[in-house]
Amino acid sequence: ASGRAALPAAIALERGLVATYQAALPVPGDLKVAITLATILASHAQHELMLRAQHGLEPLPVAQAAG
């Protein structure tokens, strides 16, 4: 991606990964799997917030409802 397109692409990627893990989280019946999914979700959410903060953007564009 070009320099200008890289930031929105990276933010969109992280947001998509957060949504994917968020959707998968209620599915596992195994506590260890759920903990792993939650850990990965949190990591991608942190990546998105760091990218946004480094470029002077608001932490979240809209409120996110808790599951």
Side-chain angles (χ1 to χ4, degrees):
S2 71
R4 290 181 180 236
L7 176 62
I11 290 171
L13 172 66
E14 294 297 345
R15 186 173 298 143
L17 290 168
V18 167
T20 298
Y21 283 101
Q22 209 168 22
L25 195 54
V27 175
D30 184 337
L31 180 60
K32 288 182 181 181
V33 172
I35 290 170
T36 299
L37 290 173
T39 301
I40 295 168
L41 185 156
S43 176
H44 287 297
Q46 290 174 343
H47 294 163
E48 180 185 353
L49 292 177
M50 296 273 300
L51 287 167
R52 296 181 69 77
Q54 287 176 356
H55 291 85
L57 300 171
E58 292 293 320
L60 293 174
V62 294
Q64 292 184 350

